[in-house]
Amino acid sequence: MSDSRSQPRAAAHVSVPNDPRALQAVKEEVLAAVSERAYPEAAAFAIRLALEEAVQNAYQHGNQSDPARTVGFEWRIAEKSMTVTIEDEGTGFTPGVVPDPTDPERLEIPSGRGLLLMRAYMTDVQYNDRGNRVTMTYERQAP
Amino acid sequence: MASNDSRLRIHKEDDVTYVEFVDRNILDEANIQRIADEITGLIDAEASPKLIISFANVDHLSSAALGALITIHNRTKQKKGQLRLADIDPQIYEVFTITKLNKLFEIHETAEDAVASFA
């Protein structure tokens, strides 16, 4: 992990401990790099939310909050699009079997909305076959 | 725990409890748990709680924050109380729309509107 006070990297590949502070530092670097590319406020909002959800999933559901595990990040932030990949050391999951949290019968269940938000706010969200690595892309719309 | 550790601003007027967030970002899991515990304590302290949660200061929230709000909603319902959300920025309101939680919560434009809605 680089010094988070230095210039945020527009592209990087890092692995950090499954620790909230270490994960926060990476999220901040990615968001700072997005900010440097002058993405519109709505785009920054979308990316922050999706990143938050994906990292929380990796930390909690994938890595079971275990500090001995790690989370891998790879990101590339360009003028017109950004992509971030987040990989945990968990057993993975099958996105297709996650129940729809907007089902009226499920509205009062407190959990299970992260994936919905990632898909709603990013242009594309793809999991690997094992379900422990997610790649999210945000494409800026033409002005 | 000292009250200045709270991530909430709370005041009571007549029988209505007003809650506002101190932080602009309601994202951190540990903070969200503390906030949920504190609001649950407010609900449990009332026989028939009337609670307004204002999002006036909030710029970002996560699904974990939505989960905490649902837990608060369910607790209020158990106690036959009334919960209102207010002052939600359009960008944040969209999160409620996407998740269809705008159908679960009673949301008002302002805290004044929310007060007027109490039975």
Side-chain angles (χ1 to χ4, degrees):
Chain A
M1 179 70 225
S2 76
D3 176 1
S4 61
R5 300 287 167 198
S6 64
Q7 193 80 349
R9 292 166 291 182
H13 190 173
V14 300
S15 179
V16 299
N18 194 51
D19 166 78
R21 282 188 191 174
L23 296 169
Q24 184 63 28
V26 181
K27 284 186 282 184
E28 282 172 10
E29 183 173 359
V30 173
L31 294 171
V34 167
S35 175
E36 286 224 325
R37 292 286 180 289
Y39 276 55
E41 208 242 319
F45 179 91
I47 294 164
R48 180 189 288 269
L49 182 53
L51 187 60
E52 190 66 42
E53 300 298 340
V55 172
Q56 185 59 31
N57 283 348
Y59 169 76
Q60 189 181 353
H61 301 302
N63 282 343
Q64 303 286 305
S65 309
D66 179 354
R69 293 186 176 185
T70 60
V71 180
F73 290 84
E74 187 171 1
W75 70 88
R76 186 179 161 279
I77 295 146
E79 295 299 328
K80 292 187 177 167
S81 71
M82 70 83 69
T83 297
V84 57
T85 296
I86 297 154
E87 181 169 2
D88 61 59
E89 295 186 291
T91 53
F93 78 113
T94 309
V97 303
V98 174
D100 177 5
T102 66
D103 178 341
E105 306 267 299
R106 303 190 67 85
L107 282 183
E108 291 191 356
I109 298 174
S111 58
R113 291 175 178 79
L115 186 56
L116 168 71
L117 291 173
M118 287 155 59
R119 285 180 166 150
Y121 279 96
M122 298 300 275
T123 311
D124 187 55
V125 175
Q126 297 290 337
Y127 278 86
N128 64 344
D129 288 344
R130 178 170 146 189
N132 70 324
R133 186 177 69 231
V134 62
T135 299
M136 306 191 293
T137 302
Y138 187 96
E139 288 173 7
R140 287 174 75 166
Q141 291 170 353
Chain B
M1 179 157 300
S3 61
N4 61 4
D5 281 346
S6 174
R7 308 317 301 160
L8 300 172
R9 288 190 203 97
I10 300 160
H11 80 274
K12 210 167 167 196
E13 228 172 279
D14 301 324
D15 58 347
V16 177
T17 304
Y18 293 78
V19 175
E20 264 187 14
F21 298 97
V22 170
D23 300 306
R24 304 201 79 82
N25 297 338
I26 317 294
L27 298 170
D28 178 81
E29 195 81 10
N31 261 348
I32 290 168
Q33 190 56 52
R34 270 203 308 173
I35 286 168
D37 290 347
E38 195 171 350
I39 297 178
T40 302
L42 295 172
I43 295 164
D44 288 348
E46 300 285 335
S48 182
K50 289 182 181 174
L51 189 68
I52 297 175
I53 302 179
S54 166
F55 289 76
N57 304 316
V58 177
D59 290 336
H60 295 278
L61 52 69
S62 63
S63 67
L66 296 176
L69 288 171
I70 293 166
T71 302
I72 289 161
H73 165 272
N74 294 347
R75 187 68 153 240
T76 309
K77 198 169 145 187
Q78 275 171 10
K79 291 210 64 174
K80 304 202 185 317
Q82 298 173 69
L83 171 67
R84 307 287 187 262
L85 310 185
D87 304 315
I88 301 180
D89 168 270
Q91 216 164 29
I92 300 280
Y93 187 77
E94 194 185 9
V95 179
F96 283 86
T97 312
I98 289 166
T99 54
K100 299 209 171 131
L101 290 175
N102 57 330
K103 295 181 191 301
L104 182 70
F105 293 108
E106 194 170 324
I107 300 175
H108 293 270
E109 271 198 32
T110 66
E112 290 74 25
D113 293 345
V115 176
S117 76
F118 282 127

